[in-house]
Amino acid sequence: MLHFPDGFLWGAATAAHQIEGNNFNNDWWPREHAPGTTIVEPSGDACDSYHRFREDMTLLRDAGLDTYRFSIEWSRIEPEEGFVSRAGIDHYRRMVDTALELGITPMVTLMHFTVPRWFADRGMWRSPDAADRFARFTELALPVLGDDVKWVCTINEPNIAAMIAGGEDPANLVAYGLPDPDLKVADTLLECHRRSREVLSGVGGVRSGWTVATQAFQPEPGCEQAARDYGHQRDDWYLEAARGDDWVGVQAYTRTVIGPDGPRQVPEGVETTLTGWEYYPKALEEGVRSAWEKTGGVPVFVTENGMATADDARRIDYTRGALNGLHAAMADGVEVAGYLHWSLLDNYEWASGFRPTFGLIAVDRETFVRTPKPSLGWLGGVARANAVEEDPQP
Ligand code: NOJ
């Protein structure tokens, strides 16, 4: 068995728009419903977790996990610029209280891709007021955090957000490595992150950071420099920018091989997941090593890792492989605070809709009945033992 350090946190992650349902006041909803959209289906009621969050957290806790990462929806807290919904704030505070009551450590993400419609209509990340608005939203969120939320993520996957802004086509959200990021948007996201952290620094025990999609860019022979250049503006820059933060989030799924003409398609015959990504559990080890190196030793938190599959036994294989790699990186001195699986629930996978199932728990699309999969029990067992078995096929 491979043992993890005492106090290592084990859990799962979700995001508001992907599970709550009826987030019709954010920028993604009109995109889902736009005529001719490339988004395969709208989010609709999603998992109805806006109402069923206690059940979700109870399933997580009963399995043996101890940490839940969820996001708060800006469009519910500030539905119009300057109008603050007390009820929206109370709702998310209730989620924090529920987690604490159940003995779960909450990690709160302030912005997980979606923003209020008014913010999008006023130029989104291209508005000169973007950082002021995001800093103000952080202030509005303080009552949600109270004095008992320690882990706060300001912005989820700023690197993917800058790429979406570069291509504007939401379908690109599922195609790692494409398109070119909008570098001005990247600068603005970093400013938003810094301003948000300033606000959070006034709050007792908060430890804040942002979470980066580490994409394991690997060169074909002779393409080493090309891969470094390609990866820097999509990946490394965001890790370097996290120097000095309290922690950095690693979100790892697959790798991308860079040839002379850019990213390569996954070759025929290589196993892929329901998102079309290569089955590559080692992505996690490479992601945490890279984060540790590029940040100059900022503590890492694995804030997402998992695979979309209909074969739950394969999800267990993948996760075991990923955790073996994580353990190897930690044995070499990389400091890691915890591991959160993506995702707790089968949920709305953005442009790909509900088909790619990442969940440890299945959700009936009509009744919202939750059915834990064997992988939930398996990961809960790992958490209880604070150890994972060695990979039979390293
Ligand atoms: C990254 C994103 O943060 C999350 O929203 C998405 O569902 C997963 N990875 C899987 O693509």
Side-chain angles (χ1 to χ4, degrees), residues 15 18 69 112-113 156-157 173-174 176 251 253 275 277 304 342 347-350 358:
Q18 296 180 259
R69 172 181 180 228
H112 196 120
F113 293 142
N156 178 69
E157 294 193 347
L173 193 57
V174 295
Y176 273 177
Q251 317 206 142
Y253 292 89
T275 40
W277 304 340
E304 291 187 24
W342 184 271
N347 61 33
Y348 181 69
E349 178 58 16
W350 306 109
F358 279 94

Side-chain angles (χ1 to χ4, degrees), residues 167-208:
E168 305 296 358
D169 182 349
N172 289 320
L173 193 57
V174 295
Y176 273 177
L178 295 168
D180 288 339
D182 181 319
L183 298 182
K184 280 177 101 169
V185 166
D187 285 339
T188 302
L189 290 168
L190 181 55
E191 198 192 339
C192 291
H193 172 61
R194 293 203 167 133
R195 293 279 305 279
S196 181
R197 287 193 77 239
E198 259 168 50
V199 174
L200 295 166
S201 68
V203 187
V206 165
R207 298 186 70 198
S208 61

Side-chain angles (χ1 to χ4, degrees), residues 246-261:
D246 298 327
W247 57 276
V248 62
V250 163
Q251 317 206 142
Y253 292 89
T254 188
R255 66 172 164 185
T256 304
V257 176
I258 305 297
D261 307 317

Side-chain angles (χ1 to χ4, degrees), residues 326-341:
L326 176 65
H327 190 273
M330 292 172 71
D332 286 344
V334 179
E335 206 183 305
V336 184
Y339 172 89
L340 306 179
H341 194 81

